[in-house]
Amino acid sequence: MDLEKCFNDGLKIYTQNFARAVLGYLLVLVGSCVTLGILFPALFYGYHLMLLQIKRGKKTTLNAVFSTLDKWAALWGLAFIVCFLMGLMAITIIGIIPAILIPTWWMYAALFIVDRKLSISKAMAASKKIVRAKNFWMHFIFL
């Protein structure tokens, strides 16, 4: 994983689409506050999907922030599974290692749910496969 390229690409996307990036993020903040955080995962990953579409060269609008509202339950389900397993494992000393591994393995799962429209289990498996194949420790440090 080339971190310099990742940061340069991200900076390029934000500078070329500064107004859209800021307004999109403000939509996420306002929408999350108005709904008391209930819609946060869907809006947050809608925002990331919008940025991903910009990186891919596709034309996108601020409506992309709301495009993942249909995945609301899947995103909350993923968050619940990860937090539950981390909490369960963290209460034992032996569980500290899996509590570190799990969020690293599944760091792309939510993006797979919204971008590739995968189920929770398939998204988790695909995320783990990518992280294991592309330098686990670099992902761990980046997380």
Side-chain angles (χ1 to χ4, degrees):
M1 177 191 278
D2 185 4
L3 283 180
E4 183 179 357
K5 183 179 182 321
C6 291
F7 284 116
N8 287 336
D9 287 350
L11 183 63
K12 182 180 173 184
I13 289 169
Y14 278 108
T15 54
Q16 290 177 350
N17 301 282
F18 182 76
R20 195 175 340 170
V22 170
L23 289 173
Y25 194 71
L26 288 174
L27 280 173
V28 172
L29 289 177
V30 170
S32 296
C33 290
V34 168
T35 63
L36 302 175
I38 294 171
L39 293 181
F40 176 74
L43 295 175
F44 181 72
Y45 284 103
Y47 176 71
H48 281 278
L49 188 62
M50 179 184 78
L51 296 176
L52 187 61
Q53 289 172 347
I54 291 170
K55 181 175 180 350
R56 290 176 178 164
K58 295 181 180 177
K59 184 122 174 113
T60 185
T61 64
L62 288 175
N63 290 337
V65 172
F66 302 105
S67 67
T68 56
L69 289 176
D70 61 330
K71 300 291 184 196
W72 176 82
L75 292 169
W76 269 111
L78 176 67
F80 177 75
I81 290 168
V82 171
C83 290
F84 177 75
L85 288 176
M86 284 177 48
L88 192 63
M89 290 180 208
I91 58 176
T92 67
I93 295 233
I94 297 171
I96 291 174
I97 293 170
I100 292 170
L101 295 176
I102 286 174
T104 307
W105 282 339
W106 295 339
M107 67 190 300
Y108 299 118
L111 289 173
F112 288 150
I113 289 171
V114 297
D115 184 40
R116 296 185 184 171
K117 299 182 182 10
L118 297 178
S119 67
I120 293 174
S121 60
K122 288 181 182 177
M124 291 163 76
S127 178
K128 182 178 177 181
K129 183 178 178 183
I130 285 177
V131 169
R132 290 180 81 187
K134 303 277 184 178
N135 192 348
F136 170 84
W137 293 109
M138 187 61 71
H139 285 87
F140 174 72
I141 291 169
F142 192 69
L143 184 62

